[in-house]
Amino acid sequence: MAHQDKHTTAHAESAHNNGAHSQDHGNVKTYLIGFVLSVILTLLPFWMVMEGDFSKVTTLWGIVVFAIVQIWVHLKYFLHLNFVTEDGRASTISFLFSALIIFMVVGLSIWIIYESNAMMMY
């Protein structure tokens, strides 16, 4: 009887974990919301540039703001990064650390190449 209780408990925990796991990966609704938001956040800056009624500074800031919002949409709806759960928090921190390292490697490489070029020109 004790063996059957352990099996039932293990099965219930497994079902609970699978349910939580599938929620982390989203569903059609969340992917559709992310897709629609991405399309809107792409079309608005495109419209700002094509319309030409905005100043260059306003257009540039609009593009930057929409790009940052679109990055957030991709991270939330497609990569499912969040701070709500412990796993989500760990995934988000890992992603941000990786992005920082990549940014530093690329940024410092460009800086070194630029400075080397500047030294060779004079």
Side-chain angles (χ1 to χ4, degrees), residues 11-12 19 28 32-33 35 37-38 61 63 65 67 69 77-78 81-82 86 101 108 110 113 119:
H11 182 66
V28 174
L32 190 60
I33 290 170
F35 176 73
L37 287 173
S38 295
W61 277 107
I63 291 170
V65 167
V69 172
Y77 288 102
F78 299 124
L81 296 181
N82 60 23
E86 189 66 33
I101 296 298
L108 291 174
I110 290 171
I113 292 168
M119 286 182 187

Side-chain angles (χ1 to χ4, degrees), residues 17-79:
N17 290 338
N18 287 340
H21 190 262
S22 66
Q23 288 175 351
D24 290 345
H25 290 291
N27 53 27
V28 174
K29 180 182 175 186
T30 58
Y31 285 121
L32 190 60
I33 290 170
F35 176 73
V36 169
L37 287 173
S38 295
V39 169
I40 291 169
L41 291 169
T42 300
L43 291 178
L44 284 173
F46 185 77
W47 172 78
M48 287 178 69
V49 171
M50 293 303 292
E51 191 66 27
D53 291 341
F54 302 100
S55 70
K56 287 184 180 182
V57 173
T58 304
T59 303
L60 181 63
W61 277 107
I63 291 170
V64 168
V65 167
F66 286 123
I68 291 170
V69 172
Q70 191 168 50
I71 289 170
W72 176 80
V73 167
H74 284 225
L75 293 175
K76 178 172 176 40
Y77 288 102
F78 299 124
L79 294 177

Side-chain angles (χ1 to χ4, degrees), residues 77-103:
Y77 288 102
F78 299 124
L79 294 177
H80 308 291
L81 296 181
N82 60 23
F83 278 102
V84 177
T85 64
E86 189 66 33
D87 288 340
R89 203 171 304 127
S91 296
T92 303
I93 291 171
S94 298
F95 173 79
L96 291 174
F97 179 73
S98 299
L100 175 69
I101 296 298
I102 291 170
F103 180 75

